[in-house]
């Protein structure tokens, strides 16, 4: 599998694709559900052994088809949530009439830390995605990377519940885009974040 960088730089817009066919969304959801089961089950030893054997077979089935990031449909299926990527926290975002970004996220059992609370690192990952999307959508500049991300954990963020996200631009200074955002359960702010994204120069990785 090639891991060469794209000659145009690190953030070329993804080329939409229909690769993977009509079942690619089901495939991605199946991977997510498997992650949930891996986090949740207390199965007998023989069941775990059988599951491990099946996973070995599945890996062997898929391994011959590994390609570089520019060729894989993951991240390029614009018709699917999260563009068909299993990395991000499941969510849907949009630009609002108020010139901000709003949407919903739902942390799964896989994202559990302890005692019903989402792992803090997963919350930070979610903010990186939401604030990065806001930097892109609200400045019409798709080429930027995260330079700074600070998260304030205000309350427990629950798993398996639809939550709201809100984000907007604080200011823009040259190539620097300062963004703030929140994740809420109704009117209750569970966590908030501030970030700095830096616009990339042409060809910059």
């Amino acid at each position: 599998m090639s891991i060469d960088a794209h000659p145009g730089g690190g953030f070329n817009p993804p080329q939409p694709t229909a690769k993977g066919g009509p079942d690619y969304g089901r495939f991605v959801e199946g991977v997510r559900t498997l992650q949930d089961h891996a986090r949740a089950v207390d199965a007998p030893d023989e069941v775990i052994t059988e599951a491990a054997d099946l996973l070995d077979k599945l890996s062997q089935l898929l391994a011959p088809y590994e390609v570089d990031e520019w060729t894989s449909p993951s991240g390029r299926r614009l018709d699917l949530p999260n563009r068909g990527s299993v990395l991000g926290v499941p969510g849907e975002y949009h630009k609002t009439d108020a010139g901000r970004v709003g949407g919903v996220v739902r942390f799964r059992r896989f994202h559990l830390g302890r005692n019903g609370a989402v792992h803090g690192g997963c919350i930070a990952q979610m903010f990186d995605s939401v604030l990065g999307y806001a930097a892109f959508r609200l400045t019409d500049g798709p080429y930027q990377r995260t330079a700074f991300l600070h998260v304030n954990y205000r309350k427990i963020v629950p798993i398996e519940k639809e939550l709201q996200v809100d984000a907007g631009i604080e200011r823009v200074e040259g190539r620097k885009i300062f963004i703030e955002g929140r994740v809420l359960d109704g009117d209750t702010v569970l966590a908030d974040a501030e970030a700095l994204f830096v616009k990339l120069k042409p060809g910059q990785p």
Side-chain angles (χ1 to χ4, degrees):
M1 178 181 64
S2 171
I3 56 173
D4 292 340
H6 193 284
F11 274 91
N12 290 271
Q15 295 296 321
T17 184
K19 285 183 176 181
D23 283 329
Y24 195 75
R26 187 164 68 94
F27 170 77
V28 171
E29 179 61 21
V31 173
R32 290 191 181 279
T33 301
L34 178 61
Q35 290 176 317
D36 291 337
H37 288 322
R39 183 67 177 86
V41 300
D42 180 18
D45 292 357
E46 60 272 18
V47 172
I48 296 298
T49 298
E50 181 180 358
D53 290 341
L54 290 171
L55 287 172
D56 286 342
K57 291 180 181 179
L58 180 59
S59 293
Q60 292 170 12
L61 173 67
L62 295 174
Y65 304 100
E66 288 191 12
V67 293
D68 62 46
E69 64 179 285
W70 311 104
T71 307
S72 169
S74 178
R76 298 200 297 133
R77 284 295 299 263
L78 304 190
D79 58 316
L80 298 175
N82 293 71
R83 299 187 304 188
S85 172
V86 299
L87 175 63
V89 175
E92 296 184 6
Y93 321 127
H94 61 274
K95 184 177 180 179
T96 70
D97 293 338
R100 294 177 63 83
V101 161
V104 295
V105 295
R106 185 182 180 91
F107 293 93
R108 301 177 63 134
R109 179 64 182 268
F110 175 68
H111 303 113
L112 176 66
R114 286 293 181 188
N115 203 26
V118 174
H119 190 285
C122 298
I123 298 170
Q125 181 195 31
M126 178 276 297
F127 272 123
D128 193 30
S129 296
V130 173
L131 302 187
Y133 178 84
F136 153 58
R137 287 287 284 136
L138 302 181
T139 67
D140 296 320
Y143 311 104
Q144 69 268 326
R145 283 196 183 274
T146 313
F148 170 86
L149 175 64
H150 177 83
V151 179
N152 297 306
Y153 300 94
R154 306 294 185 183
K155 295 181 180 296
I156 294 298
V157 177
I159 62 170
E160 299 176 337
K161 184 176 185 180
E162 186 171 278
L163 305 171
Q164 299 76 47
V165 292
D166 169 73
I169 294 178
E170 289 187 327
R171 66 187 187 279
V172 177
E173 298 177 357
R175 294 169 55 211
K176 298 179 179 180
I177 307 170
F178 295 86
I179 305 280
E180 49 79 24
R182 306 175 295 167
V183 59
L184 308 97
D185 183 3
D187 294 329
T188 302
V189 177
L190 304 178
D192 56 71
E194 55 183 333
L196 166 62
F197 290 84
V198 178
K199 296 179 182 179
L200 298 179
K201 298 177 180 179
Q204 187 175 359

